[in-house]
Structure formats: structure tokens, C-alpha cells
Amino acid sequence: MITIAMAEDHQMLIDGVKSFFEYDDEIQIIGTVNNGEDLVKLVSLKQPKLVITDIRMPRMDGINATKHIKKQFPHIRVLALTMFDQPDAIKQMLDAGASGYLLKNSGIKMLSKAIVTVANGETFFDPNVAFNFMNSYIDENVTIGKSEKVILSNREKEILQLIAEGKTSKEISEALFIAKTTVDTHRKNMIRKLKLTNGNELVKYAIDKKYSF
């Protein structure tokens, strides 16, 4: 089990991440806070396997919080989750002791991959920052996330949004004034396009897109 403490000053993002991993058998969020000072206290109290932290936060930023955490608990892994893609920010976070760097617009599926990679003692980089930074700082022993674009129709996107809101096929059909069988067909097509295996995975994907960073 990968236990996680998370620091993020936007509660909506925290709620989205917690919702996605609520029933995950491998990943467990054991505590969340909204600033760096409280993160250091939380880590000291619960000693999770992994810390997810933003960089810019009130009272103490993620860079200084990471320095404190790594000094006290060098075995605890740190993953940065931020909007900053500047090389200076990345370097400061890595120098502080982080083992992963992910942008908030990457989506929860890539976050899940980053969590497992970093928890296993490896380094993970968002593909949108890795190649700009590769030559100067990142060595070859890292995992770089892969961006995969899937083209959904406008109707499929509408249905996906309603699935994320917890609506059934019948409720979706009524909301969009289409037959329930049409909704079911769209569901099957999306499962095929997205290379998923069943409806439950489609629901997870829908939630992922609803809470995209």
C-alpha cells in the first residue's frame, strides 16, 4: 500500500484526487493539508510513504517543506504537483529532494503512474517539462510520462461529462433527448476508443477528465 500525504491550497483539487483514489487497493490518501507548514507537521505525525506537494502555498512553499521533510525523513519520497514549468522551479524542487515533477494539467491517470513510479524508488517527469530540461539536469534513469490523445466526438464528450456527474444511461438519454440505446452505444464506442475494458473504467476515466488539473 502506498500511503500519501498531500499539500495543495486548492481544496477542489484535493477533493478530486481523493475521490479518484477512494477505492484504490494500492494507493491511500492518509492526510491532506493546504499549506507547507501543516504538511511538515502531517508528515511527522503520520510518516507516509509518499508526499505530493504543490510549490506555491501559504505559510511555507513546497520547496522549503520538501527540504524539511527530506532532512527529517530521507526515506520518504516527494512528488511535486504544480503549474510551474520553468527550469528554475524544477531544479529547486529537485535540489530540495523531490523525486518526481508533474504538471497539474496532466490528469489523474498520469498522477497515478507518477505515484507508483516514485514510490518504487524511481524518478518520474511530466513529458511537458522533461525534454526542455533533459540535457541540463535529468539523467537517463527516469520515467517520462506519455501523452496519449484520443479524439472523442462532441456527443461523446457530453455523455462523458454526464457520466462523471454520476448519471445513468437513462438519465443521460433524458437530458440529451436521445434514446437510451444510443447512449449505450456511445458508451461502448468510448470504451473501445479509450482502450478500456469495462464500464467501471469508463466512469473512472470520466471522473479523471472532470477533475483535470
Side-chain angles (χ1 to χ4, degrees):
M1 175 66 71
I2 302 172
T3 53
I4 295 173
M6 181 175 180
E8 164 60 51
D9 60 345
H10 291 89
Q11 188 61 40
M12 184 180 293
L13 193 152
I14 286 179
D15 292 343
V17 172
K18 287 175 66 177
S19 175
F20 187 81
F21 292 117
E22 185 176 2
Y23 301 108
D24 196 293
D25 293 330
E26 188 177 8
I27 296 169
Q28 182 182 14
I29 310 289
I30 60 172
T32 63
V33 292
N34 302 116
N35 63 76
E37 277 189 13
D38 287 344
L39 175 62
V40 174
K41 294 175 184 177
L42 176 64
V43 170
S44 181
L45 179 66
K46 296 198 173 183
Q47 296 190 31
K49 185 168 186 178
L50 179 83
V51 169
I52 298 174
T53 181
D54 195 358
I55 291 181
R56 179 178 290 174
M57 294 184 294
R59 291 167 58 182
M60 182 187 292
D61 63 33
I63 295 169
N64 284 315
T66 298
K67 289 178 181 177
H68 282 283
I69 291 166
K70 294 299 290 186
K71 184 176 181 180
Q72 287 183 275
F73 309 101
H75 62 284
I76 293 178
R77 310 285 286 176
V78 177
L79 170 64
L81 181 62
T82 179
M83 290 300 297
F84 293 105
D85 59 359
Q86 297 91 341
D88 284 348
I90 302 169
K91 186 177 187 303
Q92 287 181 57
M93 200 64 195
L94 293 179
D95 287 343
S99 299
Y101 201 97
L102 192 65
L103 298 181
K104 290 182 179 180
N105 60 7
S106 298
I108 295 182
K109 279 193 172 182
M110 192 176 292
L111 174 60
S112 180
K113 172 67 174 175
I115 288 170
V116 174
T117 301
V118 172
N120 286 335
E122 302 172 40
T123 303
F124 186 97
F125 267 84
D126 190 298
N128 294 309
V129 300
F131 295 107
N132 292 333
F133 202 56
M134 179 71 76
N135 294 332
S136 60
Y137 205 80
I138 303 174
D139 64 33
E140 60 184 10
N141 299 311
V142 302
T143 297
I144 298 172
K146 294 180 180 179
S147 298
E148 296 184 2
K149 291 186 177 180
V150 178
I151 299 175
L152 299 179
S153 68
N154 289 334
R155 178 62 84 188
E156 286 170 340
K157 290 176 182 177
E158 285 181 315
I159 292 173
L160 197 66
Q161 178 63 35
L162 293 171
I163 289 173
E165 294 172 7
K167 296 189 181 300
T168 64
S169 290
K170 183 174 184 300
E171 290 170 333
I172 293 171
S173 70
E174 292 172 351
L176 299 179
F177 302 102
I178 57 178
K180 178 180 175 296
T181 54
T182 302
V183 177
D184 290 335
T185 298
H186 280 302
R187 281 179 179 266
K188 290 176 183 177
N189 288 339
M190 284 190 285
I191 289 172
R192 174 182 54 79
K193 280 185 180 182
L194 298 168
K195 298 180 181 179
L196 305 175
T197 57
N198 54 47
N200 289 334
E201 287 193 4
L202 181 62
V203 172
K204 270 199 165 188
Y205 181 88
I207 294 173
D208 176 19
K209 292 306 175 185
K210 181 181 179 183
Y211 292 110
S212 292
F213 305 129

